[in-house]
């Protein structure tokens, strides 16, 4: 409990009372971050790919889009520019991967302190930190399709800033859990932390939609797939499962599809042919096809990449987990 002397309280109340012209105004405080850290890895990958003097201006433009004053689509526009440059550098896979993670980095959130701030301080309460609204325009590059920013954990998940037109990501019916994003499906990002220090995979690829995970593993993205045998980029469904779907007996088919995918993945190598946007497990790592070749991101120690059956709706997910968890989840479906 914060202890505030009566003298301080009286002084503060007097100051507020004397500020009649701003009685209904609100004071702002931000959930901030070191924004330059959000693109530092991308800039290094750009330099390694031969981007030279083109790298830094795009990096600066990108990280400044995370400021609270930015427009709803500034961050996505910046990520498009990052991928545009990557495509001129032989479709550099590392630049694209880092751009996909960048577009999901939380932006600086604004907290509003109303004129009952003294009451909040006495009660040791924090003012509301409003969620940052989502872009409502499709990205230029398909590698960004279905990706949207996480929120910081300190946000008030009942409120958004702005005109309330961006309270859901484009084409998404719900964000669950609140504050999550395709790269981090288990929840929001701790205040001030960079998403690129928490995850390696962006969660979805070209042509994808909002990814969900049954196990919420944050170290690798997941993709809900409707047709487990398809070679095309997976398409996720974002609507929650309905009661009728839950009784449709899809669990067994999900288990069979997961087994089939894992059998298929076992035959893949880094040199296997693939379709841009396709995601798979290759050599126990999470793989994304960029420029006709698999780019592999290894899972965290003790885990492997695997296809898992979804529990609440038809489809499968690709994520990092243990072999025991993979086998148990598939066995639970009866497959």
């Amino acid at each position: 409990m914060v202890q505030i002397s009566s003298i301080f309280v009286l002084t503060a109340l007097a100051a507020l009372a004397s500020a009649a012209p701003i009685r209904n105004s609100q004071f702002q405080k931000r959930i901030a971050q070191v924004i330059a850290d959000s693109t530092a890895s991308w800039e290094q990958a750009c330099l390694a790919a031969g981007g030279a003097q083109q790298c830094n201006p795009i990096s600066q433009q990108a990280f400044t889009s995370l400021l609270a004053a930015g427009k709803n689509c500034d961050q996505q526009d910046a990520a498009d520019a990052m991928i545009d440059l990557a495509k001129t550098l032989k479709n550099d896979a590392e630049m694209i991967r880092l751009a996909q993670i960048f577009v999901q980095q939380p932006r600086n959130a604004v907290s509003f302190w109303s004129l009952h701030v003294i009451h909040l301080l006495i009660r040791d309460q924090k003012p509301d930190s409003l969620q940052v609204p989502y872009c409502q325009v499709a990205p230029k590059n398909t590698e960004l399709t279905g990706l949207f920013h996480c929120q910081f954990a300190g946000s008030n998940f009942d409120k958004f800033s702005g005109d309330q037109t961006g309270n859901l990501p484009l084409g998404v019916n719900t964000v669950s859990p609140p504050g999550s994003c395709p790269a981090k499906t288990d929840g929001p990002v701790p205040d001030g932390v960079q998403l690129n220090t928490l995850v390696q995979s962006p969660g979805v690829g070209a042509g994808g939609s909002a990814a969900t995970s049954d196990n919420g593993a944050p170290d690798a993205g997941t993709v809900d797939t409707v047709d487990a045998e398809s070679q095309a980029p997976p398409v996720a469904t974002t609507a929650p499962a309905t009661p009728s779907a839950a009784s449709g007996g899809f669990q067994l088919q999900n288990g069979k599809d997961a087994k089939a995918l894992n059998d298929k993945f076992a035959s893949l190598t880094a040199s296997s042919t693939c379709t841009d946007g396709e995601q798979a497990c290759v050599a126990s790592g999470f793989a994304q096809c960029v420029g006709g070749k698999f780019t592999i991101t290894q899972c965290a120690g003790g885990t492997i990449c695997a296809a898992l059956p979804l529990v609440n709706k038809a489809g499968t997910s690709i994520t990092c987990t243990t072999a025991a968890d993979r086998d148990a989840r598939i066995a639970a479906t009866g497959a």
Side-chain angles (χ1 to χ4, degrees), residues 1-2 4 112-128:
M1 178 69 70
V2 175
I4 303 178
F112 286 88
W113 293 52
S114 64
L115 291 185
H116 68 289
V117 61
I118 300 301
H119 177 69
L120 291 175
L121 289 172
I122 293 173
R123 294 175 59 86
D124 195 23
Q125 293 179 349
K126 296 180 180 179
D128 288 342

Side-chain angles (χ1 to χ4, degrees), residues 38-39 41-49 55 58 75-76 78-105 139-145 147 183 195-196 199-207 276-279 286-297:
S38 65
T39 60
S41 296
W42 179 89
E43 186 171 346
Q44 291 303 310
C46 179
L47 292 170
C55 301
I58 291 178
Q75 183 177 3
Q76 179 177 281
D80 267 324
M82 296 163 81
I83 291 182
D84 284 345
L85 179 56
K87 288 182 174 179
T88 69
L89 300 172
K90 299 180 180 180
N91 284 309
D92 188 80
E94 181 68 354
M95 291 173 64
I96 292 174
R97 180 184 72 85
L98 291 169
Q100 289 174 311
I101 292 177
F102 165 78
V103 82
Q104 299 177 73
Q105 170 64 25
K140 172 185 175 183
N141 290 286
T142 57
E143 289 85 353
L144 299 178
T145 300
L147 301 182
L195 182 62
N196 58 24
V199 303
Q200 293 296 314
S201 168
V204 291
D276 280 3
E278 180 183 354
Q279 295 185 339
F286 184 87
Q288 182 178 23
C289 186
V290 179
K293 296 181 180 180
F294 278 123
T295 298
I296 304 172
T297 300

Side-chain angles (χ1 to χ4, degrees), residues 7-27:
I7 294 177
F8 173 83
V9 173
L10 291 174
T11 301
L13 289 175
L16 289 175
S18 66
I22 59 170
R23 178 172 298 171
N24 295 320
S25 67
Q26 294 175 310
F27 302 99

